[in-house]
Amino acid sequence: MLILTFQCQPILNKNSTRSATPLPSNKGVYSNGHKELMMRFSLTNLIGLSLLYFSQASVSQSIEEIVEHKYAVNDGTSIHYVRAGEGPLMVFIHGFPDFWYGWREQMMSLSDQYTVVALDTRGYNLSDKPSGYENYSMDFLVGDVEAVIKNENREKAIIVGHDWGGGIAWSFAGLRPEMTHRLIIFNLPHIKRLQTELAKFEAQHEASGYARNFQLPNSHEKLTAEGLALALSRGNSKTRSRYLEAFKKSSLDAMMNYYRANFPREPYTEGQFLDIPKIQAPVLQFHGLKDTALLPSGLNNTWEEIESDWTLMTLPTANHWSHLDEAGKVNKMIRAWLEVQQD
C-alpha cells in the first residue's frame, strides 16, 4: 500500500503496528449570525478565504470560452455539464452551494491532458430540479454521474468531488468500482468515518448543527440566491454575478434535499454511509485544516475503508474550499499523483 504524506500531519498505513495519532480537531461551532444563510457555514469559512493564485476575472472569462455545454439523462432527469480538453475522462462533482463553475481552476489547469467535465448536480443551475427529497437520495446522485460518463462514451473516469460532491464521489467509487479509475476528494472525510465521528457526539456532531437544521422542512426559506452568491464571490464582483445568475436558476429547496435525504441522523447507528463497500481505486485526498464544518478528525483510520493506495495532503492555511484556496498547489499535485498512478 503506497502512502505519500505532505505537511506535518501523522499518516499511518493500515499495516502499521503503531497506534494512530489523532489528527487535529477544530473546536469551533458554526456561526448563526448571517441572517441570509441561517445555520450556514461561518463567515470565516465562506468569505474569509485566502486569495487565489490567478486573477478571478481572467479565469472566469477563459473558462466560459473553452467549455462545451452538454446534457446527460438519468431516468428522465436531465443533468447539465460542461466539457473541455481531450484525454482520459475526469469528472468533477461540486458541493453545496456551488455549480460546475466552482471547478474553473482545475478545468483550466488540467484540460491540456484530460477530458474534464463538471456537472451541475440535480437541483442546481441548468440541471433538472425534481421535487421531493426522495429524488435526491444517493442512488440517484450516483446514477447521475454514471449517466454523464456513459454520455461521453467512456467506461470509467477519474472521479473528483468536493463537499456533497465528495459524498457522491465516495459513494460512486464504492458502488461503481468498475467505473472508477481514480478517486480525488476535497474536504469530505470518508462518509463512514464522518458518521463514526458524528456518533461520538463530540466536536463533529457540534460542528454539524447546521446540517441537522438544513434537514428541517422549511430550511430553504431562510436562504437566498443573493446571500449564497455573496458568500462564494471571494470578493470579486464578476464572480458574484456569475454565481447569482446560477443560483437564481437553482432550487433552494433541492439544495436542502441533499441533507434531508442523505445526511446521517441521530443516533448515527445505521444508514447508507455505514454500508458503503470498501473503495477499490487509488485515492488522493485533500483537506483544508481551517474547515470548521468537516473536521480533520474524520480523516483518522481512512485507510481501513480503502483497499488500494491512499494519499493524503493536508493544507494548513486552506478553508473548506481548498481547491480554490490552494488552486495552484492542488492542481500540480493532481497532475503529479495521476502520473505516479499511471497503469
Side-chain angles (χ1 to χ4, degrees):
M1 179 176 182
L2 172 67
I3 300 288
L4 303 179
T5 63
F6 298 83
Q7 304 299 336
C8 296
Q9 303 304 323
I11 304 299
L12 304 177
N13 65 38
K14 61 186 178 184
N15 296 318
S16 174
T17 58
R18 190 160 54 94
S19 59
T21 303
L23 292 168
S25 174
N26 294 338
K27 298 298 183 182
V29 184
Y30 280 89
S31 169
N32 292 323
H34 197 298
K35 65 181 181 180
E36 291 183 319
L37 295 184
M38 193 180 67
M39 303 71 59
R40 186 60 191 109
F41 295 112
S42 67
L43 293 180
T44 299
N45 219 1
L46 283 171
I47 301 175
L49 304 174
S50 56
L51 296 175
L52 298 179
Y53 283 88
F54 305 104
S55 163
Q56 288 285 333
S58 62
V59 170
S60 61
Q61 181 180 19
S62 298
I63 192 65
E64 299 285 1
E65 292 174 350
I66 70 169
V67 297
E68 172 189 6
H69 293 260
K70 303 184 70 174
Y71 290 85
V73 178
N74 175 27
D75 195 26
T77 298
S78 180
I79 302 299
H80 169 259
Y81 67 97
V82 296
R83 180 189 190 277
E86 295 295 336
L89 181 62
M90 187 178 296
V91 177
F92 293 88
I93 315 167
H94 68 80
F96 165 81
D98 218 327
F99 70 114
W100 72 261
Y101 181 72
W103 295 109
R104 55 196 178 276
E105 294 281 351
Q106 285 65 49
M107 297 184 75
M108 286 294 299
S109 175
L110 299 168
S111 59
D112 63 328
Q113 283 189 283
Y114 298 90
T115 298
V116 291
V117 307
L119 285 68
D120 288 331
T121 61
R122 58 175 59 202
Y124 286 86
N125 195 31
L126 300 179
S127 288
D128 282 351
K129 304 155 188 69
S131 60
Y133 76 90
E134 65 278 2
N135 287 308
Y136 294 82
S137 68
M138 194 58 71
D139 287 342
F140 284 114
L141 303 177
V142 167
D144 293 344
V145 177
E146 180 178 1
V148 169
I149 295 173
K150 289 181 176 179
N151 202 56
E152 287 296 309
N153 296 312
R154 305 294 184 98
E155 294 183 354
K156 60 177 60 179
I158 301 162
I159 307 298
V160 187
H162 168 249
D163 187 75
W164 266 118
I168 299 169
W170 282 118
S171 299
F172 185 90
L175 298 172
R176 303 286 191 279
E178 73 285 357
M179 299 186 72
T180 307
H181 183 54
R182 302 288 184 262
L183 179 63
I184 302 174
I185 302 291
F186 287 91
N187 277 72
L188 197 284
H190 185 283
I191 53 180
K192 183 176 180 180
R193 306 316 309 175
L194 173 61
Q195 184 157 338
T196 299
E197 287 298 305
L198 288 167
K200 295 177 181 178
F201 289 91
E202 296 175 353
Q204 184 59 67
H205 173 76
E206 188 176 14
S208 297
Y210 75 96
R212 293 187 293 277
N213 287 326
F214 281 173
Q215 291 176 324
L216 298 175
N218 65 342
S219 58
H220 59 285
E221 297 174 2
K222 305 298 183 180
L223 303 176
T224 66
E226 291 77 9
L228 296 179
L230 176 63
L232 271 70
S233 68
R234 306 178 76 85
N236 183 279
S237 60
K238 291 185 178 180
T239 303
R240 178 181 177 278
S241 296
R242 189 67 185 87
Y243 272 105
L244 181 58
E245 177 186 3
F247 289 153
K248 282 185 174 180
K249 297 175 182 176
S250 304
S251 166
L252 300 176
D253 191 33
M255 295 180 188
M256 298 295 93
N257 281 336
Y258 284 74
Y259 294 88
R260 295 166 185 148
N262 300 291
F263 197 83
R265 296 177 183 269
E266 298 178 18
Y268 310 117
T269 56
E270 59 183 9
Q272 58 189 348
F273 283 13
L274 297 178
D275 297 332
I276 181 175
K278 285 193 174 184
I279 306 301
Q280 303 299 314
V283 178
L284 171 61
Q285 188 169 5
F286 296 95
H287 201 90
L289 297 182
K290 289 190 174 181
D291 190 338
T292 60
L294 297 160
L295 307 184
S297 56
L299 301 172
N300 285 318
N301 300 95
T302 298
W303 52 84
E304 296 177 2
E305 314 303 334
I306 302 170
E307 294 287 1
S308 188
D309 306 343
W310 176 50
T311 307
L312 172 64
M313 184 172 187
T314 59
L315 301 164
T317 64
N319 213 295
H320 181 68
W321 273 265
S322 55
H323 60 299
L324 293 177
D325 289 346
E326 296 280 6
K329 184 179 295 184
V330 302
N331 292 345
K332 291 176 182 177
M333 182 60 187
I334 290 172
R335 193 183 295 272
W337 181 78
L338 288 173
E339 183 176 349
V340 169
Q341 293 291 339
Q342 285 183 355
D343 294 331

